[in-house]
């Protein structure tokens, strides 16, 4: 990658650095590709792009608050948590990144063939209170099941994705709600079958699974830099959606650069097929996620107020310049 | 004369407590000042008051006391196993010299395994449950116990062993009445270290395997960006570590040092 | 029964002490009265057989590449009931020899036979009093004294009785509950002696046991040890650097040559017991041994200066 | 005579190596058998051959040697800092008794902090960089060094200190020529433990902060379900731990024990 | 220059040795010839002032709740150039007293004045030979001997010269490179003596330094120590349990009472030097001291049995 060498020019802004945090996940595809290929740096010109990868959302937001990164690609639940914890002060969602890409996989020989067979089983999700965990729990609740922590007969454990694979193989669990590409991996390598594609549970098959957040003070002080970033982000999004196959190849390459590892192309293709790369933060789904998390007792005692979490003005400005349709900013009050 | 000594002891204890309290007060003071200076956002570094509130909350809803109980139960069980087996293997290492030498190095290699590395094996071999966590804790502390047993015993001045064997002590009796007490001052140091390894391991394992416990509170706090809960649980970890050390291991060490007359630094 | 024994022991100790005190008080009388009294009380030994045999013991040590030959073929027969004293210049290998007899050190070649059978491990039949304090710092004085008894499985009450007796003998009753670091050097040495005597072994190996004692205590113990020996017919090997001590105690004194150590001379002392420091008749033995040793010292000086 | 000793030594070394090789062979053999029995899927437990291949791959593409270099560099730097400061503070603890007593307990509390708990502070105070990781490593090992310095020195028989002071040694000279050498046999044990703490911490920190290094290889391997890479990196961790211990710390301990005549167990 | 000194030292050592050897060889002559030769070579001391003063030293120890009063008001003036010997029953507090003088232990009350000034810390002006081996196991014999010199900042070459001299005196030249665990007990004690002498302190505190030596080596050193003392006018406090030793060495012998220790008696021995073991004229001092001690032993027995 050429990021390191391309920098160093003049500054006409008070800040000459933009620090981006992201994870080498498929729903951060724009960042993985755009940063890796140098597209972002090209767009930002004299602003030096510094990057930091994280292996989980909470750590990313932690770093954002600690003023170690300025903007970050993260999942919706850490975003909500961060927003609430800072009393709506310290961060804003400035764009979306991905939608979909989570599945409920069950073991072939678990005896589960339909939603009515879930009683008495044991399932896994990656992390207590994360996007998939909330989805799994609300799904079970909605279908009349109760988890063991509230006296029901379904046990939920939280484990790292790779450990979930081991447990599926050992038949320690009957299924798991996981993000892609782990759904595909479980399906192919751990005798799993997809019981639910989460997109089927949402209106229009869309629900946000990655957004871009910015530190509020950075957003206020350097709207110009944010704008350049979003231009790059939108461009990258469009390019990926127009060149799916090539994008997958490049993504895999960049993954190799970042981690030294690649994912088999066919697995990656399947994973991407259940995922939409987008710049739309799908605001209503974020509010719904927050409500669900609140309903499960994961958020504070009082109902979270997410008013003002989105600041899409710059995104819309960029979209406008590119002749793309703007995204209507919605407030929580309008969703009820 | 005796009374004087006792009252001296008491006032010594008070003095120590005052010392500790002072250090604590200074620490909290600095923390508060740093907080008020606002160098870091209050999410990253909450104020002492916020942490206290968090403490109050998780104590009231019983999640803290319960977790502490569970974690300690697990830890004690695992650590006892570590100590018993570690000591036994350490002894075997002394007994069979070639085996001991080889295993001493191997243990050193295994000692350097972070507990995190044991988690996948634990899940594979045992599963995602109590015993899985205990396995991680045992694997993280047993080598330390083994090595320190081995080293401590090897460092016993040979004259004690000679004298004892000369008086007819051998086998288990030799071990029970000579080897063990002679190695004790040094074993205790090893025990204290083993205890820390076990502590590290259990918190690490509970974080990674997110099974109810103190580590789980910490990790959940972190996942939900609740730094005051994180700090509250860290303070709990610190306090328990301190209490166990101070009122168990250190007391033990101190008593033995007194008994041996090692305290006679003038 | 037990109480009886205790009283007996107390009386015996007291009696011995009174005699000794008398001996000290009436210096002029001592030579005659004491010898008479004591020789009446104690008989000589009669029948003897070989208890311990050292066969051509060789031992060297490695000193940073240089080899130091400590023992160069020691041959020694010790009869049952023998009181054998070993004298020799410092560093000649006396402790090494004792360690080998105790089974604590392996000789390079040669062997030790006990009752005709070769030995190689330590055992409670050969109790050693080490030259350098080998008391256990984690035990109280009384527990140190009882250690060997405990190892032998003697019940607690009996142990206590025995240890009490010997602590008494060593005038340490008041310090029974102290730890060893709380004792003076001489007191430590007395504990070590009590510990060894309490075990009542067949063979007693003593490595300069009286070195740190004041002369009065030593004189007391010199008599006490003779009485014990006469009464129990123990076999004793006693290393000392004090010629008088060796003359008073031994019925045989072995002089070790300087490094490499061989046996230079054996002197038999056939004289009534208990012998006392003041006895003029022992002077001839004293000088005989002294002569042997003088040559050794001169040899050592030559050796150093060459 | 001398020659005999040397050749004995050599054959002893060979014997040790043979011993170790045997143990290794048995271990790999069992592993292969378990693999062939197919108790666990090969994703969870790859065969020795698969691990070897993985080794070959990451060695060839240089990611392993580079990571090892980076990790070791970091570790050595951090550990040196730990040793120097830990020793200094340990000495201060000896010097100022009240301070020492208080800090001894506090360190015990802090020693029980899992390295994982230092990560958020490191991010907050220092950031995602070399120094951040080093901070975690230092915090995880310095207390161990402190405590072991403190304990080791307190366990020195007072007669040595008495004799030295009586001969006019004091201050730094006393420390350099008496305190240090007298405490050495016990300090080395502490050093070995401190080294393990540092090892644990660096791997943990590299995993959590996902900064290039050996821990990163392990964590990436885990994230990508490449167990053979995980095992390959664990073997590397083990081997380095073993080598450092065997050829540095243990050697040191052994030499000192020889010199002191502690090896004279018969 | 240096070489010169070395030769001088060598010659002196040799000369002394020859004399002593002669004394041994011609037993009958010794009393007369030796005294004459040696008294010619050495003069008596002349002008004296108070070097060290112990003022009402009290020290108790705690034994598991019981208090043991070791020193109960010791008052002692030591003149410059004094050779003071302390004798007393085992465990009476001799070592404790020496420790307090050395500044290693604090008295409960009372104080030690050195040249009129109170002291409380140890210092190289008062070098101690400890009763129990205080050699450093991490140093070679020669480095042990040089330790004090190194602390005093004496350059390496000079150190080596001095240590060589004393190792020579102690007949340990061959073991210079050995570690202490490789030495016999007597050899260790000789290293400790060499270490203290090498430091050449104003005041030398010696706690039973000859206890583990064979009598020949001891006799040699007894003379050597007197020569050193005469030559350098050191102030020496010498604790011993050997009455002969105290009579030969001291110009003043202090007898300690049994616990609680007070000074029971001071005996001045004004007799030409060097004195030898064989000298009959010393007998009266010997008996005087013995008498004092006998009472102590009896007191101790009473104390134990009451
Ligand atoms: N560290 C200590 N703790 C407790 N008691 C002690 C300590 N040191 C000495 N004592 C006690 O003080 C008394 C005097 O001891 P000290 O060592 O001075 O005797 P000593 O005259 O040197 O005897 P010895 O001739 O046997 O060496 C003894 O009763 C001993 O028990
Ligand atoms: N562990 C050892 N390592 C090396 N050399 C040793 C060892 N033990 C003894 N020696 C050497 O063996 C020789 C004899 O030592 P030993 O202790 O037997 O002498 P000793 O006759 O008891 O002397 P002393 O009267 O001084 O106690 C000495 O030269 C000593 O240096
Ligand atoms: Mg000896
Ligand atoms: Mg003493």
């Amino acid at each position: 990658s050429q990021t390191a060498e391309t920098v160093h020019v003049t500054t006409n802004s008070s800040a000459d650095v933009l620090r981006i945090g992201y994870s080498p996940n498929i729903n951060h595809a724009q960042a993985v590709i755009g940063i890796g290929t140098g597209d972002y740096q090209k767009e930002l010109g004299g602003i030096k792009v510094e990057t930091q990868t994280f292996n989980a959302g909470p750590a990313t937001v932690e770093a954002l608050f600690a003023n170690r990164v300025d903007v970050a690609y993260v999942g919706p639940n850490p975003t909500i948590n961060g927003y609430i914890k800072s009393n709506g002060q310290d961060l804003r969602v400035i764009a979306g990144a991905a939608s979909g890409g989570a599945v409920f996989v069950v073991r072939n020989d678990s005896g589960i063939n339909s939603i009515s067979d879930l009683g008495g089983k044991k399932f896994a999700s990656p992390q207590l209170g994360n996007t998939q965990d909330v989805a799994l729990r609300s799904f079970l609740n909605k279908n009349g099941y109760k988890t063991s922590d509230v006296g029901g007969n379904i046990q939920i454990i939280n484990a790292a994705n790779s450990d979930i694979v081991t447990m599926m193989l050992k038949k320690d669990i009957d299924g798991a709600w996981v993000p892609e590409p782990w759904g595909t991996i479980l399906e192919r390598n751990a005798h799993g079958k997809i019981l639910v594609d989460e997109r089927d549970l949402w209106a229009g098959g869309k629900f946000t699974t990655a957004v871009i957040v910015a530190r509020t003070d950075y957003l206020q002080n350097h709207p110009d830099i944010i704008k350049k970033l979003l231009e790059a982000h939108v461009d990258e999004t469009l390019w990926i959606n127009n060149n799916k196959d090539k994008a997958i190849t490049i993504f895999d390459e960049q993954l190799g650069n970042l981690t030294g590892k690649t994912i088999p192309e066919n697995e990656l293709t399947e994973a991407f097929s259940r995922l939409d790369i987008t710049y739309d933060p799908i605001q209503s789904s974020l509010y719904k996620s927050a409500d669900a998390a609140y309903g499960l007792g994961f958020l504070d005692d009082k109902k979270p107020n997410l008013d003002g979490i989105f600041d899409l003005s710059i995104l819309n400005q960029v979209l406008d310049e590119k002749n793309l349709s703007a995204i209507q900013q919605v407030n929580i009050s309008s969703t009820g | 004369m005796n009374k004087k000594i006792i009252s001296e002891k008491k006032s010594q204890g008070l003095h120590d407590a005052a010392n500790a309290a002072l250090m604590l007060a200074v620490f909290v003071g600095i923390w508060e000042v740093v907080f008020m200076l606002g160098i870091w956002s209050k999410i990253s570094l909450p104020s002492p008051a916020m942490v206290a509130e968090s403490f109050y909350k998780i104590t009231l809803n019983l999640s803290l006391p319960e977790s502490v109980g569970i974690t300690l139960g697990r830890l004690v069980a695992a650590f006892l196993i570590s100590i018993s087996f570690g000591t036994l293997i350490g002894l075997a290492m002394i007994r069979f010299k070639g085996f001991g030498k080889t295993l001493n190095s191997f243990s050193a290699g295994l000692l350097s395994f972070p507990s995190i590395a044991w988690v996948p094996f634990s899940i594979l071999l045992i599963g995602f449950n109590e015993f899985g966590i205990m396995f991680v804790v045992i694997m993280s502390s047993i080598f330390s116990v083994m090595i320190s047993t081995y080293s401590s015993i090897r460092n016993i001045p040979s004259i004690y062993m000679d004298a004892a064997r000369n008086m007819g002590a051998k086998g288990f009796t030799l071990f029970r009445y000579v080897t063990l007490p002679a190695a004790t001052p040094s074993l205790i140091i090893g025990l204290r270290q083993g205890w820390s390894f076990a502590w590290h391991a259990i918190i690490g394992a509970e974080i990674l395997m997110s099974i109810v416990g103190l580590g789980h509170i910490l990790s959940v706090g972190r996942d939900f960006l609740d730094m005051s809960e994180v700090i509250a649980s860290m303070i709990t970890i610190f306090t328990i570590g301190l209490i166990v050390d101070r009122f168990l291991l250190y007391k033990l060490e101190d008593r033995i040092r007194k008994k041996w007359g090692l305290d006679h630094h003038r | 029964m037990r109480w009886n024994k205790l009283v007996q022991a107390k009386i015996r100790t007291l009696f011995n002490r009174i005699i000794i005190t008398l001996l000290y008080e009436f210096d002029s009388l001592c030579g005659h009265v004491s010898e008479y009294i004591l020789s009446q009380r104690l008989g000589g030994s009669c029948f003897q057989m070989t208890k311990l045999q050292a066969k051509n013991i060789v031992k060297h040590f490695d000193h940073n590449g240089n080899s130091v030959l400590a023992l160069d073929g020691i041959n020694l027969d010790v009869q049952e009931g023998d009181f054998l004293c070993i004298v020799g210049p410092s560093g000649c290998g006396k402790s090494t020899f004792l360690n080998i007899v105790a089974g604590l050190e392996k000789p390079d070649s040669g062997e030790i036979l006990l009752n005709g059978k070769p030995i190689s491990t330590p055992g409670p039949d050969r109790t050693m009093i080490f030259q350098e304090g080998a008391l256990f710092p984690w035990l109280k004085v009384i527990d140190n004294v009882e250690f060997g008894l405990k190892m032998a499985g003697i019940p607690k009450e009996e142990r206590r009785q025995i240890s009490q007796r010997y602590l008494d003998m060593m005038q340490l009753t008041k310090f029974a509950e102290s730890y060893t670091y709380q004792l003076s050097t001489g007191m430590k040495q007395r504990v070590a002696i009590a510990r060894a005597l309490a075990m009542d072994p067949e063979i007693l190996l003593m490595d300069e046991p009286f070195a740190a004692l004041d002369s009065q205590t030593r004189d007391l113990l010199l008599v006490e040890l003779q009485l014990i020996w006469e009464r129990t017919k123990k076999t004793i090997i006693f290393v000392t650097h004090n010629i008088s001590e060796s003359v008073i105690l031994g019925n045989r004194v072995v002089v070790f040559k300087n490094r490499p150590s061989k046996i230079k001379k054996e002197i038999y002392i056939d004289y009534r017991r208990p012998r006392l420091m003041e006895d003029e008749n022992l002077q001839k033995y004293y000088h005989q041994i002294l002569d042997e040793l003088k040559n050794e010292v001169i040899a050592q000086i030559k050796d150093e200066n060459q």
Side-chain angles (χ1 to χ4, degrees), chain C residues 114-126:
Chain C
L114 177 66
N115 297 323
K117 269 170 253 150
I119 52 140
S120 62
T121 51
D125 46 358
R126 285 152 288 144

Side-chain angles (χ1 to χ4, degrees), chain C residues 10 14 17 21 24-25 27 62-64 66 68 88-92 94-95 131-133 140 167-168 170-175 177-179 181-188 190 207-208 210-220 241-243 259 278 286-287 290 293-295 297-298 300-301 303-306:
Chain C
K10 266 269 180 210
L14 247 172
R17 278 196 187 141
T21 314
Y24 277 124
E25 290 295 284
D27 245 31
D62 187 49
H63 280 240
N64 323 313
N66 296 326
V68 167
S90 166
C92 73
K94 304 181 294 294
S95 301
Q131 190 171 9
E132 286 176 273
K140 294 180 172 174
L167 283 177
D168 216 37
M170 299 298 151
Q171 289 153 35
L172 284 170
T173 322
K174 284 202 172 154
F175 292 90
E177 298 295 315
S178 297
Y179 285 98
Y181 75 94
Q182 298 175 309
L183 303 182
S184 81
T185 315
M187 290 156 92
K188 274 182 229 172
R190 283 181 274 153
D207 197 353
E208 307 198 10
F210 300 156
L213 299 183
D214 59 295
S215 39
Q216 290 63 54
T217 311
R218 193 214 323 245
D219 289 351
L220 261 167
H241 54 256
N242 188 311
I243 302 172
R259 264 186 328 273
E278 288 78 3
Y286 180 92
H287 284 285
L290 188 64
L293 281 170
K294 257 188 249 164
N295 299 334
V297 175
I298 292 162
Q300 195 173 1
I301 293 172
D303 182 47
E304 282 278 324
N305 285 341
Q306 84 198 347

Side-chain angles (χ1 to χ4, degrees), chain C residues 235-252:
Chain C
T235 309
I236 300 181
I237 304 184
F238 189 101
V239 168
T240 178
H241 54 256
N242 188 311
I243 302 172
S244 311
E245 227 170 79
S246 74
V247 172
I248 290 171
L249 291 175
N251 53 357
R252 230 170 116 201

Side-chain angles (χ1 to χ4, degrees), chain A residues 80-91:
Chain A
I80 295 166
N81 283 326
Y83 186 76
I84 294 170
K85 283 280 143 41
S86 68
N87 290 326
Q89 298 291 313
D90 291 359
L91 65 77

